Amino acid sequence: MAPASRVLGVVAAVLAVLARPAFPQSSAQPSPRTDEVSLRILVLETADEALRVREELQLGANFVALAVVRSVDPSARNGGWLGRLSLSSLRPGLREAVSGLAVGELSGVVQIPTGFAIVQVVADREEPSRDVAPAAVSPGLAAGGSVKIAMDVGGFADATEALRQFPKNAGWEQDLQTICRLRSQSLDAARRTIEGRLASGADLTDPLDRAQAHVLLGQLDAFQGRMAEAIASWERALTHAEAVPEARLPVLEALGIAHLQKAAIDNGAFETGVEPCLLCGSGRQGFAATGDAEHAVDYFSRYLAERPDDLEVRWLLNLAYMTLGRYPDAVPPAHLLEPAALRSVEDVGRFIDVARDSGLTSFSLAGGIIVDDLDGDGRFEVVTSSMDGCAPMRLFRRSDSGLFVEAAAEAGLGGQLGGLNIVQADYDNNGCPDILVLRGGWEPAQRNSLLRNDCRGTFTDVTAQVGLAEPATSTQTAAWTDYDNDGRLDLFVGNEDVPAQLFRQQPDGTFVDVAADAGVARSAFTKGVAAGDYDNDGWPDLYVSNMGGRNFLYRNDGDGTFTELGQAAGVPGPGRGFPTWFFDYDNDGWQDLFVASYFISVEETARTYLGLPASANTLKLYRNLGDGSFEDVTRRTGLDKVFMAMGANFGDIDNDGFLDLYLGTGNPSYASMLPNVLLRNRGGTSFVDVTASSGTGEWHKGHGVAFVDLDDDGDDELVTVIGGATPGDAHALRLYRNPGHGHDWINLTLIGQRTNRSAIGARIAVTLEDASGHRRTVHRTVGSGGSFGASPLRQHVGLGPEARIEAIDIWWPTSGTRQRFTDVDVNQSIEIAELAPDYIRVDRQPLPLGDPPEEPAHVP
């Protein structure tokens, strides 16, 4: 989930009586000036955030430093530096704001298509800071910046601002019931304020002021899924804005998006998961009720009649035709996205969604997922969370028949409300995985929860007891790791705009934040963290993925401190990062590093599919060179793509021994109707998009992702939480059953004795020989995978066809011991305890995962 951008309106502007129009107040433009100035720029997501940043600047904050950390413009990595520009090249709002400013002076907050800008005039001799990583700078913002931000329809930013400004008692962020109540009360208050302004009309004499108020009211309705009411408000806004193209066109697009969202809701696509195939190359199967989709086509067509080159609206128009079952034939040739651009070049078999048939009936907003054996019965449970502050966690246990049965209440999770992400680990070494719930990502700070597993199938909230409740922060990312190798798991938490936390676990089971002393307490807008021993020295290192500026690589010095080497080691990140992880993608025994870029742009994803050059930075894959540094192999491996990835993880879908990727995509806006993405690893050399052939291109918001052999037949399934940031974007969970590929495999459960009981950080090397006599080694490290979504700690290792295992080598980080087991049979599950002389075979009978429909809903 991600913040809304290119907003139509922000409730804070009304509540605080800010003079921030949603549309230009006049179509008149000032006369162009011919003089030139040197400029820096800061672009923020919301008007409220921009005003706060401007106050910081007025109080003496460093513009360059804030630009690197906070700006969403591509110039951020150069400290906001734009260079010397002609005033006439700037868009009118910026031109007016800059005109007359002296060197060093700040402009006011100016709305531009990519957010809310603050500009500073600087001396001609000033150059980008030497310590800022070089990056492409915006060419002057003459066309809204080089990356077009997605239209915001859905009201998440408005609802969040309403919550921020609503009166709250001290300590509200510690009580989950209070958080739930305040969300509802703040929305009601915002609605009353806007309706009151519209009713009185006293300060809304200008037609564009009235248009703005109707837009704001429509955003709050859209947030709650009241799409008919939102559409009515935006139609009223359109009548007021009709005379001004800059105002009319965004409302036309918003109306098209709203009708498309309503079509999906009314046709049951979100709740049942039955939807047209987005990437099949044809759209013969459409929605039963077509009225709203027809309206969407009409509004998008009217927009494109005036701006035919808008790739975002072209994408949405093609999608609307797909929901009608009339793609590609009925799409006007000038706007058609060719079916060939959406097809896979490789066929990995069809993954069928069997969630409902298997009893996994979770329906939620954006959230996290854990799939693991939480009660020690040998079967996997599925746990999900939702960022809806009033929604309890869900826990599904496997019955003897193979069906999943809801058991959250009896597990003690009924009072655990909200949570954008969850991750498991046996923090107290009692043999049963515990659950960490992370809250407040993109929202006001809220407390996290540590839920202790009593090994009887129930959980107890021990957050305050162990010292993790205060201070509350905004986060959705954390990593369990034993950074000091004392056998007790520690916890690293990445936060938004406050220092990261490193909680060292004490012998009594409590935690103390040692981030400052350890050298990892940097502040950034952090969206992903990962732990892994990249230099193979036995001490786990940390990587931090940030939304602005460069990322951090913390090398563990083995003495309780870390050294930051992100730039020096060659892993600065894409400038706007989100999920990240260490993994050995090429099986050479060294941990490589994946970082997803996160640019909130439908257009950039469309450009990727159409083979057009990207304006935004792409995904990043850094290959470990084994000397403490990394090589950027993104382009070489075919990952130079822009996908708006949020929740993501890795696993082996075809049991060839090489790790594949699944990326959940989107942002809160209903405009971000983009497929989730499955990328197959071609033997450690490159990755290929197999989304269309696999049928996994769910086109609603993707969050927590887990790879897991859920039916114990030897193939990884894909389980993913689908749902956006708003009640109007809730969705059913997906369970994609693997069609099977006939390759061999082995499952390994490691049990630490001196090393932490979860064996997190333990290394596995499986040396094998195939039928032709070719020998190779497959490498794994115990962990739950990506930084948003949690696979089982049990490691599933694909071996390829006709494999014979020569040896399995295990390396335990705390004890420093190694184990070797030879001539182990393939296609079985085994347990290996640290220091034990032999392994234990675990017999597991395959359990069915429901019956697929006779004609899968994803196939046209």
Side-chain angles (χ1 to χ4, degrees):
M1 199 282 306
S5 301
R6 199 173 147 216
V7 294
L8 290 171
V10 177
V11 167
V14 177
L15 298 179
V17 200
L18 301 176
R20 203 278 299 164
F23 308 116
Q25 293 300 293
S26 170
S27 59
Q29 297 181 359
S31 301
R33 302 249 326 252
T34 57
D35 53 311
E36 294 184 345
V37 291
S38 294
L39 301 175
R40 291 189 185 274
I41 192 168
L42 264 158
V43 182
L44 290 309
E45 300 281 1
T46 68
D48 187 65
E49 184 184 10
L51 288 168
R52 290 198 301 266
V53 168
R54 192 175 188 278
E55 289 177 2
E56 293 179 44
L57 292 169
Q58 289 177 316
L59 292 172
N62 184 277
F63 194 105
V64 173
L66 281 180
V68 169
V69 174
R70 305 286 290 276
S71 180
V72 300
D73 189 74
S75 65
R77 292 176 67 186
N78 273 349
W81 174 257
L82 294 178
R84 186 166 179 80
L85 302 170
S86 167
L87 286 174
S88 62
S89 71
L90 298 175
R91 61 177 55 254
L94 284 175
R95 187 187 312 142
E96 282 187 319
V98 170
S99 298
L101 291 182
V103 171
E105 288 187 330
L106 299 171
S107 72
V109 174
V110 183
Q111 186 179 6
I112 61 176
T114 54
F116 296 86
I118 305 162
V119 183
Q120 183 183 49
V121 176
V122 297
D124 291 344
R125 63 182 179 274
E126 187 171 341
E127 297 178 356
S129 173
R130 295 176 182 267
D131 62 353
V132 175
V137 180
S138 292
L141 301 177
S146 58
V147 177
K148 179 186 176 184
I149 304 301
M151 168 71 73
D152 172 38
V153 176
F156 175 74
D158 310 294
T160 300
E161 288 301 326
L163 177 60
R164 288 187 194 280
Q165 296 198 23
F166 192 75
K168 297 179 281 289
N169 293 328
W172 70 274
E173 72 281 1
Q174 295 292 328
D175 185 86
L176 303 182
Q177 293 289 346
T178 299
I179 294 170
C180 167
R181 184 176 67 255
L182 289 174
R183 169 64 85 185
S184 175
Q185 292 175 340
S186 62
L187 282 172
D188 290 344
R191 179 181 297 281
R192 288 194 300 270
T193 300
I194 299 168
E195 289 175 339
R197 289 190 69 192
L198 281 168
S200 71
D203 57 346
L204 295 175
T205 55
D206 188 289
L208 289 180
D209 288 337
R210 295 194 66 81
Q212 174 180 273
H214 285 299
V215 165
L216 289 169
L217 190 59
Q219 288 283 49
L220 293 185
D221 281 321
F223 176 84
Q224 295 175 300
R226 296 156 45 97
M227 300 313 300
E229 291 84 349
I231 288 168
S233 288
W234 290 336
E235 286 175 342
R236 287 190 286 270
L238 186 61
T239 63
H240 294 295
E242 194 64 50
V244 183
E246 291 84 354
R248 183 182 72 255
L249 288 174
V251 181
L252 285 175
E253 182 181 355
L255 282 163
I257 293 166
H259 277 290
L260 195 52
Q261 182 81 357
K262 185 173 182 292
I265 294 173
D266 291 352
N267 281 275
F270 291 1
E271 193 157 1
T272 65
V274 178
E275 304 173 58
C277 180
L278 177 58
L279 292 184
C280 292
S282 63
R284 308 302 181 193
Q285 177 185 341
F287 288 145
T290 61
D292 281 290
E294 295 280 9
H295 285 305
V297 167
D298 176 61
Y299 281 117
F300 293 144
S301 298
R302 289 168 61 184
Y303 182 105
L304 289 169
E306 298 188 47
R307 292 192 180 167
D309 296 330
D310 191 309
L311 193 49
E312 173 177 298
V313 180
R314 283 183 60 202
W315 175 276
L316 294 169
L317 175 69
N318 280 258
L319 179 56
Y321 275 110
M322 290 178 189
T323 68
L324 291 169
R326 290 159 46 195
Y327 170 89
D329 298 341
V331 183
H335 304 318
L336 176 65
L337 304 181
E338 292 292 342
L342 306 179
R343 297 189 182 119
S344 297
V345 298
E346 292 185 4
D347 186 0
V348 294
R350 199 74 174 174
F351 286 66
I352 305 298
D353 178 18
V354 295
R356 289 175 64 85
D357 292 335
S358 300
L360 289 175
T361 55
S362 176
F363 183 77
S364 73
L365 275 60
I369 189 167
I370 294 169
V371 184
D372 216 326
D373 182 4
L374 301 177
D375 56 10
D377 66 353
R379 299 173 182 171
F380 287 130
E381 282 73 49
V382 176
V383 184
T384 64
S385 66
S386 170
M387 72 176 297
D388 179 352
C390 298
M393 294 175 64
R394 307 288 301 279
L395 184 148
F396 297 88
R397 288 200 170 101
R398 203 78 179 272
S399 68
D400 291 339
S401 68
L403 288 176
F404 286 92
V405 179
E406 168 70 41
E410 65 189 63
L413 300 180
Q416 290 296 325
L417 308 179
L420 186 50
N421 195 16
I422 50 179
V423 61
Q424 84 281 27
D426 182 4
Y427 88 92
D428 56 357
N429 289 335
N430 71 345
C432 304
D434 312 293
I435 296 175
L436 177 71
V437 185
L438 298 159
R439 298 186 178 91
W442 310 109
E443 296 188 297
Q446 302 161 35
R447 80 163 173 91
N448 299 325
S449 290
L450 179 60
L451 310 178
R452 184 179 183 274
N453 190 339
D454 65 2
C455 293
R456 295 189 298 273
T458 58
F459 294 84
T460 302
D461 191 331
V462 296
T463 318
Q465 175 183 329
V466 301
L468 294 178
E470 296 183 359
T473 61
S474 298
T475 184
Q476 100 286 306
T477 184
W480 291 101
T481 184
D482 184 3
Y483 84 94
D484 53 1
N485 273 333
D486 65 355
R488 294 183 293 271
L489 283 172
D490 312 300
L491 180 64
F492 181 67
V493 181
N495 294 311
E496 298 175 1
D497 288 337
V498 297
Q501 298 160 300
L502 177 61
F503 293 102
R504 182 175 187 270
Q505 188 177 169
Q506 307 297 102
D508 63 358
T510 61
F511 292 84
V512 176
D513 186 0
V514 298
D517 291 340
V520 297
R522 284 175 173 78
S523 293
F525 201 88
T526 297
K527 301 310 298 175
V529 299
D533 181 8
Y534 81 90
D535 52 3
N536 285 353
D537 67 351
W539 298 94
D541 312 295
L542 302 169
Y543 190 74
V544 181
S545 178
N546 301 315
M547 276 288 286
R550 64 183 179 87
N551 295 345
F552 310 137
L553 174 65
Y554 293 114
R555 186 193 65 200
N556 192 329
D557 296 327
D559 59 1
T561 66
F562 293 79
T563 300
E564 202 288 302
L565 296 172
Q567 191 73 26
V571 290
R576 286 176 65 86
F578 207 151
T580 186
W581 54 72
F582 289 99
F583 73 147
D584 189 355
Y585 85 92
D586 55 0
N587 279 324
D588 66 352
W590 294 90
Q591 293 278 284
D592 309 300
L593 186 58
F594 173 82
V595 194
S597 65
Y598 192 74
F599 288 83
I600 305 167
S601 174
V602 174
E603 178 178 279
E604 288 301 307
T605 296
R607 294 178 72 85
T608 287
Y609 279 107
L610 297 176
L612 300 173
S615 299
N617 289 337
T618 68
L619 308 171
K620 289 294 182 182
L621 180 62
Y622 298 110
R623 182 174 179 268
N624 194 330
L625 298 178
D627 60 0
S629 67
F630 293 79
E631 174 189 12
D632 187 339
V633 295
T634 307
R635 183 178 296 275
R636 182 198 312 169
T637 56
L639 289 179
D640 50 340
K641 304 174 187 299
V642 182
F643 281 131
M644 209 191 295
M646 300 183 297
N649 216 323
F650 58 89
D652 187 355
I653 60 167
D654 52 3
N655 277 347
D656 66 351
F658 292 94
L659 293 167
D660 312 299
L661 316 179
Y662 190 62
L663 312 179
T665 68
N667 86 303
S669 173
Y670 300 158
S672 296
M673 299 182 186
L674 301 165
N676 295 339
V677 180
L678 184 60
L679 300 167
R680 179 179 177 267
N681 187 337
R682 288 171 159 169
T685 61
S686 63
F687 291 82
V688 60
D689 188 340
V690 293
T691 307
S693 68
S694 65
T696 58
E698 160 66 55
W699 53 281
H700 293 106
K701 315 303 188 300
H703 286 87
V705 174
F707 285 76
V708 52
D709 181 9
L710 203 52
D711 52 5
D712 284 312
D713 69 348
D715 298 289
D716 265 347
E717 273 70 50
L718 276 169
V719 194
T720 180
V721 173
I722 306 295
T726 70
D729 223 10
H731 201 286
L733 176 143
R734 295 286 199 187
L735 164 55
Y736 291 110
R737 185 174 60 189
N738 196 316
H741 296 82
H743 292 173
D744 295 316
W745 53 275
I746 190 164
N747 290 327
L748 302 99
T749 300
L750 271 55
I751 303 172
Q753 302 297 322
R754 296 179 187 170
T755 299
N756 68 87
R757 185 68 176 263
S758 294
I760 290 174
R763 304 285 283 269
I764 300 167
V766 181
T767 302
L768 57 94
E769 182 180 83
D770 62 22
S772 65
H774 175 68
R775 297 175 73 251
R776 65 188 178 105
T777 301
V778 178
H779 295 271
R780 295 287 184 271
T781 301
V782 177
S784 59
S787 56
F788 201 146
S791 299
L793 296 173
R794 184 180 88 181
Q795 296 299 295
H796 175 81
V797 182
L799 304 174
E802 301 181 63
R804 182 182 69 83
I805 295 175
E806 287 190 358
I808 297 177
D809 291 282
I810 311 294
W811 178 78
W812 298 90
T814 297
S815 66
T817 58
R818 298 178 185 271
Q819 293 165 296
R820 166 166 280 218
F821 305 98
T822 58
D823 296 322
V824 180
D825 291 338
V826 301
N827 301 335
Q828 65 168 327
S829 296
I830 65 175
E831 288 184 357
I832 300 174
E834 186 176 13
L835 308 176
D838 208 346
Y839 64 85
I840 298 173
R841 181 186 176 104
V842 180
D843 290 323
R844 292 193 173 95
Q845 296 301 315
L847 290 173
L849 282 176
D851 296 320
E854 292 182 5
E855 294 184 4
H858 290 283
V859 179

